Amino acid sequence: MDKGFRLFERIELGEPKSCYQKVTTSKTALDSIRLHLVELLNTHIGNAMIAHDYGLPDFNDVLSTNANLIHSIQSSICHVIEKFEPRLSAIHVHYKKDTFNPLQLSFGISGEVIHNGNKLPTSINVYMGVDGQFEV
């Protein structure tokens, strides 16, 4: 089943319940997913009332206990997207080394979005700054 706007987007737009499946363009669906990823990846576990495991761990804490930080971030991103963003499937997260900006960790997220019965391959770049905030 195609999945469209999220609940709060429907409320904000004043749309009826049935509009859940009526996102008009693939760009609108992808923009909605990107906005949700910004919220999801910039929320720390335990800070959302919706679910105690919504969001990512504070990687400053993980750094002191984990020798492979990049792998830990990759698997955390993949896991949280699989759990809380059902519109994106076949998710793969990979590290993108940037020798010109080593303090900013870059990841590529690839997957598929089903829109109007078609599978749309999707690729999203995610950057983690030195402040621990993600840009999507």
Side-chain angles (χ1 to χ4, degrees), residues 18 27 42-43 47 51 60 64 67 77 97 103 111 115 127 135:
S18 61
K27 181 185 179 324
N42 285 308
T43 300
N47 289 341
N60 289 323
S64 64
I77 290 172
K97 187 173 184 175
L103 295 179
H115 184 263
Y127 308 97
E135 281 183 47

Side-chain angles (χ1 to χ4, degrees), residues 14 16 27 32 55 58 66 68 76 91 97 104-105 111 116-117 126 129:
K27 181 185 179 324
S32 175
D58 184 348
N66 191 336
N68 195 349
S76 293
I91 301 161
K97 187 173 184 175
Q104 183 178 44
L105 298 177
N116 293 334
V126 176

Side-chain angles (χ1 to χ4, degrees), residues 8-124:
F8 290 123
E9 289 172 323
R10 294 193 315 264
I11 291 171
E12 189 174 278
L13 294 170
E15 298 290 336
K17 179 182 175 184
S18 61
C19 85
Y20 183 67
Q21 298 176 16
K22 296 182 181 179
V23 175
T24 55
T25 67
S26 58
K27 181 185 179 324
T28 305
L30 293 174
D31 287 345
S32 175
I33 290 169
R34 281 188 182 97
L35 284 173
H36 182 227
L37 290 179
V38 169
E39 293 172 17
L40 179 62
L41 299 178
N42 285 308
T43 300
H44 288 157
I45 290 175
N47 289 341
M49 293 176 66
I50 187 168
H52 71 282
D53 57 345
Y54 183 89
L56 293 173
D58 184 348
F59 292 111
N60 289 323
D61 297 335
V62 174
L63 181 60
S64 64
T65 60
N66 191 336
N68 195 349
L69 178 63
I70 291 172
H71 178 70
S72 179
I73 294 172
Q74 279 178 264
S75 66
S76 293
I77 290 172
C78 189
H79 174 73
V80 76
I81 293 172
E82 286 174 345
K83 185 163 186 174
F84 292 105
E85 183 46 83
R87 298 171 293 179
L88 192 57
S89 61
I91 301 161
H92 177 74
V93 179
H94 62 278
Y95 173 66
K96 298 167 70 176
K97 187 173 184 175
D98 185 354
T99 55
F100 297 108
N101 195 355
L103 295 179
Q104 183 178 44
L105 298 177
S106 301
F107 299 91
I109 301 170
S110 59
E112 295 177 341
V113 174
I114 297 176
H115 184 263
N116 293 334
N118 298 315
K119 289 183 180 180
L120 302 174
T122 303
S123 180
I124 300 170

